[in-house]
Structures are given as structure tokens and as C-alpha cells.
Amino acid sequence: MTEFTPIPAILGGALIGASAVALMAFNGRIAGLTGILSGAMLPGAGGRGWRLAFLAGAILAPALMWLALGAPVPFASDLPAWAVILSGLLVGVGVTYGGGCTSGHGVCGIARLSPRSIAATVVFMAFSGATVFVVRHVLGVA
């Protein structure tokens, strides 16, 4: 079971919200990581520089925390590698059909009271819950 850590969760949520507000304020863009990643990888996509900077920050932040705190950011998964890879592929399919991910729809879209984003986030969360139930209780993994 995952530990309950409200203070780091609140701080992390505040940082995510602040980065979403800053990206909208300074670039006029929604902080949807799927769109940012795909735009950084696709040739000819506009705004490649800020996209790469945003992704670099997301990757470098745990390294900076490691240096600042003297300990790595803990991450562990009891799932086998095939399950992690399959999960990633299914998420990729989901964000393609959902027109974005929970960062764009859940963080930014709900804040803008977008009905499409609210519906998408409800669907994302329902399928996430169903997936966890099936994996843990039906398949008995983890």
C-alpha cells in the first residue's frame, strides 16, 4: 500500500498548478504533457524550444531534488516489466482517443470549466479505477 504523504502531495500539486499557470501566462499554452511531448518530437511543430525546456525541467527536477536532499526520489514498482510497457502503450492509445491527457484536461481544462475536459477526466479516472481493480483483484498482479 502507498504511504499517505499529504504535505509532499500538496507541494507537488501546487508546483504543477504554478507551472500550468506560468505556461499559460507567459506562452499562452495549456500544460498538456501529451501535446508538449508530441510537439517536441514531431518535425516542423511550432514552439519546439519551450517544449524541450518544459520536458527538460520535468526530467531534471528529480535529479535536482536528489542533489538538494542527498537522497534519490523514491520510485519502485512491483509490476513486471511487461505490465509497465503494456500500461504505457494503453495510456498512449487512451490519450490519442481522448484528445489529450489528464494534465491538459484534468489540471487546465477543469480549471477553465471546460465541459469536454470534465467529461474526459471523469472517463480517465473511471478507466483508471477499473484498471487498478482488474489488475489487482482479477489478475492478482501486485
Short mmCIF file of all heavy atoms in Angstrom, two decimals, residues 4 25 31 34 36 44 50-51 64 69 74 82 87-88 92-93 95-96 104 106-107 112 115 121 133 137 139:
data_model
loop_
_atom_site.label_atom_id
_atom_site.label_comp_id
_atom_site.label_asym_id
_atom_site.label_seq_id
_atom_site.Cartn_x
_atom_site.Cartn_y
_atom_site.Cartn_z
N PHE A 4 0.56 7.49 2.97
CA PHE A 4 -0.17 8.75 2.90
C PHE A 4 0.80 9.88 3.22
O PHE A 4 1.32 9.95 4.34
CB PHE A 4 -1.34 8.73 3.88
CG PHE A 4 -2.14 10.00 3.91
CD1 PHE A 4 -2.84 10.41 2.79
CD2 PHE A 4 -2.19 10.78 5.05
CE1 PHE A 4 -3.58 11.57 2.80
CE2 PHE A 4 -2.94 11.94 5.08
CZ PHE A 4 -3.63 12.35 3.95
N ALA A 25 0.40 31.94 -18.76
CA ALA A 25 0.64 33.38 -18.65
C ALA A 25 1.75 33.85 -19.59
O ALA A 25 1.63 34.90 -20.21
CB ALA A 25 1.00 33.74 -17.20
N ALA A 31 -0.78 23.40 -20.40
CA ALA A 31 0.24 22.45 -19.97
C ALA A 31 -0.27 21.02 -20.09
O ALA A 31 -0.42 20.31 -19.10
CB ALA A 31 0.69 22.74 -18.54
N THR A 34 0.99 15.50 -23.09
CA THR A 34 0.93 14.75 -24.34
C THR A 34 1.20 15.66 -25.52
O THR A 34 1.99 15.35 -26.41
CB THR A 34 -0.44 14.07 -24.50
OG1 THR A 34 -0.66 13.22 -23.38
CG2 THR A 34 -0.51 13.26 -25.77
N ILE A 36 2.71 18.58 -25.42
CA ILE A 36 4.06 19.12 -25.31
C ILE A 36 5.06 18.09 -25.84
O ILE A 36 5.95 18.42 -26.63
CB ILE A 36 4.39 19.52 -23.86
CG1 ILE A 36 3.53 20.72 -23.45
CG2 ILE A 36 5.87 19.83 -23.69
CD1 ILE A 36 3.60 21.07 -21.98
N GLY A 44 8.84 20.08 -37.55
CA GLY A 44 8.04 21.18 -38.07
C GLY A 44 7.00 21.72 -37.10
O GLY A 44 6.27 22.64 -37.43
N TRP A 50 10.46 25.88 -26.31
CA TRP A 50 9.83 25.89 -25.00
C TRP A 50 9.36 24.49 -24.59
O TRP A 50 9.35 24.15 -23.42
CB TRP A 50 8.69 26.91 -24.93
CG TRP A 50 7.43 26.55 -25.66
CD1 TRP A 50 7.07 26.96 -26.90
CD2 TRP A 50 6.37 25.70 -25.19
NE1 TRP A 50 5.84 26.42 -27.24
CE2 TRP A 50 5.39 25.65 -26.21
CE3 TRP A 50 6.15 24.98 -24.02
CZ2 TRP A 50 4.22 24.92 -26.09
CZ3 TRP A 50 4.98 24.25 -23.90
CH2 TRP A 50 4.03 24.22 -24.92
N ARG A 51 8.96 23.69 -25.58
CA ARG A 51 8.53 22.32 -25.29
C ARG A 51 9.69 21.50 -24.72
O ARG A 51 9.54 20.77 -23.74
CB ARG A 51 7.97 21.65 -26.54
CG ARG A 51 6.69 22.26 -27.04
CD ARG A 51 6.29 21.66 -28.40
NE ARG A 51 5.27 22.41 -29.08
CZ ARG A 51 3.97 22.22 -28.90
NH1 ARG A 51 3.53 21.29 -28.09
NH2 ARG A 51 3.10 22.95 -29.57
N LEU A 64 17.62 17.28 -9.38
CA LEU A 64 17.91 18.41 -8.50
C LEU A 64 17.47 18.14 -7.07
O LEU A 64 18.14 18.52 -6.11
CB LEU A 64 17.26 19.68 -9.05
CG LEU A 64 17.82 20.20 -10.36
CD1 LEU A 64 17.01 21.38 -10.87
CD2 LEU A 64 19.29 20.57 -10.22
N LEU A 69 18.46 17.11 -1.49
CA LEU A 69 18.09 16.34 -0.30
C LEU A 69 19.11 15.26 0.06
O LEU A 69 19.05 14.69 1.15
CB LEU A 69 16.72 15.69 -0.51
CG LEU A 69 15.56 16.64 -0.77
CD1 LEU A 69 14.28 15.87 -1.05
CD2 LEU A 69 15.38 17.61 0.39
N PRO A 74 12.24 8.45 -4.22
CA PRO A 74 11.91 7.02 -4.23
C PRO A 74 10.90 6.68 -5.32
O PRO A 74 9.91 7.37 -5.51
CB PRO A 74 11.31 6.79 -2.84
CG PRO A 74 10.86 8.12 -2.37
CD PRO A 74 11.75 9.13 -3.04
N TRP A 82 6.73 -6.27 -18.42
CA TRP A 82 5.73 -6.35 -19.49
C TRP A 82 4.48 -5.56 -19.13
O TRP A 82 3.85 -4.95 -19.99
CB TRP A 82 5.37 -7.81 -19.82
CG TRP A 82 4.64 -8.54 -18.73
CD1 TRP A 82 5.18 -9.35 -17.78
CD2 TRP A 82 3.23 -8.51 -18.47
NE1 TRP A 82 4.20 -9.82 -16.94
CE2 TRP A 82 2.99 -9.32 -17.35
CE3 TRP A 82 2.14 -7.88 -19.08
CZ2 TRP A 82 1.73 -9.52 -16.81
CZ3 TRP A 82 0.88 -8.08 -18.54
CH2 TRP A 82 0.68 -8.89 -17.42
N SER A 87 1.08 -0.98 -19.98
CA SER A 87 0.38 0.17 -19.41
C SER A 87 0.69 1.44 -20.20
O SER A 87 -0.20 2.22 -20.50
CB SER A 87 0.80 0.40 -17.96
OG SER A 87 0.62 -0.75 -17.20
N GLY A 88 1.97 1.64 -20.49
CA GLY A 88 2.37 2.82 -21.25
C GLY A 88 1.73 2.86 -22.63
O GLY A 88 1.27 3.91 -23.09
N GLY A 92 -0.97 5.58 -24.08
CA GLY A 92 -0.78 6.25 -25.37
C GLY A 92 -2.01 6.16 -26.25
O GLY A 92 -2.41 7.14 -26.89
N VAL A 93 -2.64 5.00 -26.28
CA VAL A 93 -3.88 4.84 -27.06
C VAL A 93 -4.98 5.71 -26.45
O VAL A 93 -5.70 6.41 -27.17
CB VAL A 93 -4.31 3.36 -27.09
CG1 VAL A 93 -5.70 3.21 -27.66
CG2 VAL A 93 -3.31 2.53 -27.88
N VAL A 95 -4.79 8.50 -24.61
CA VAL A 95 -4.65 9.95 -24.82
C VAL A 95 -4.87 10.33 -26.27
O VAL A 95 -5.29 11.45 -26.57
CB VAL A 95 -3.29 10.50 -24.32
CG1 VAL A 95 -3.14 10.26 -22.83
CG2 VAL A 95 -2.12 9.93 -25.07
N THR A 96 -4.60 9.39 -27.19
CA THR A 96 -4.88 9.67 -28.60
C THR A 96 -6.38 9.79 -28.83
O THR A 96 -6.85 10.75 -29.44
CB THR A 96 -4.29 8.55 -29.48
OG1 THR A 96 -2.88 8.51 -29.28
CG2 THR A 96 -4.59 8.80 -30.95
N GLY A 104 -3.51 18.11 -19.30
CA GLY A 104 -4.20 19.14 -20.06
C GLY A 104 -5.67 19.24 -19.71
O GLY A 104 -6.21 20.32 -19.46
N GLY A 106 -7.36 17.50 -17.07
CA GLY A 106 -7.63 17.50 -15.63
C GLY A 106 -7.17 18.74 -14.91
O GLY A 106 -7.89 19.31 -14.09
N VAL A 107 -5.97 19.19 -15.19
CA VAL A 107 -5.43 20.35 -14.48
C VAL A 107 -5.92 21.64 -15.13
O VAL A 107 -6.50 22.50 -14.47
CB VAL A 107 -3.89 20.32 -14.44
CG1 VAL A 107 -3.33 21.58 -13.82
CG2 VAL A 107 -3.40 19.09 -13.68
N ARG A 112 -10.60 25.69 -16.31
CA ARG A 112 -11.31 26.58 -17.24
C ARG A 112 -12.79 26.22 -17.34
O ARG A 112 -13.52 26.79 -18.13
CB ARG A 112 -10.68 26.50 -18.63
CG ARG A 112 -9.29 27.04 -18.70
CD ARG A 112 -8.69 26.96 -20.11
NE ARG A 112 -8.61 25.60 -20.60
CZ ARG A 112 -9.26 25.13 -21.67
NH1 ARG A 112 -10.02 25.91 -22.38
NH2 ARG A 112 -9.11 23.87 -22.04
N PRO A 115 -16.47 21.75 -20.33
CA PRO A 115 -17.29 20.53 -20.24
C PRO A 115 -16.59 19.32 -20.87
O PRO A 115 -16.66 18.21 -20.35
CB PRO A 115 -18.57 20.88 -20.99
CG PRO A 115 -18.65 22.36 -20.95
CD PRO A 115 -17.22 22.85 -20.97
N THR A 121 -11.89 13.85 -18.12
CA THR A 121 -11.25 13.49 -16.85
C THR A 121 -12.07 12.45 -16.09
O THR A 121 -11.50 11.53 -15.50
CB THR A 121 -11.02 14.75 -16.00
OG1 THR A 121 -10.25 15.69 -16.76
CG2 THR A 121 -10.28 14.43 -14.72
N PHE A 133 -8.52 -2.12 -10.38
CA PHE A 133 -9.32 -3.22 -9.85
C PHE A 133 -9.03 -4.52 -10.58
O PHE A 133 -8.79 -5.56 -9.96
CB PHE A 133 -10.82 -2.89 -9.93
CG PHE A 133 -11.67 -3.99 -9.40
CD1 PHE A 133 -11.89 -4.12 -8.04
CD2 PHE A 133 -12.25 -4.92 -10.26
CE1 PHE A 133 -12.66 -5.16 -7.54
CE2 PHE A 133 -13.01 -5.96 -9.78
CZ PHE A 133 -13.22 -6.08 -8.41
N HIS A 137 -7.25 -7.28 -8.46
CA HIS A 137 -8.20 -8.22 -7.89
C HIS A 137 -8.61 -9.34 -8.84
O HIS A 137 -8.98 -10.42 -8.39
CB HIS A 137 -9.43 -7.48 -7.38
CG HIS A 137 -9.09 -6.47 -6.33
ND1 HIS A 137 -8.65 -6.82 -5.07
CD2 HIS A 137 -9.08 -5.12 -6.37
CE1 HIS A 137 -8.40 -5.73 -4.36
NE2 HIS A 137 -8.66 -4.68 -5.13
N LEU A 139 -6.64 -10.14 -11.95
CA LEU A 139 -5.41 -10.81 -12.40
C LEU A 139 -4.46 -11.14 -11.24
O LEU A 139 -3.58 -11.97 -11.40
CB LEU A 139 -4.68 -9.90 -13.41
CG LEU A 139 -5.45 -9.55 -14.69
CD1 LEU A 139 -4.65 -8.60 -15.54
CD2 LEU A 139 -5.83 -10.82 -15.45
#
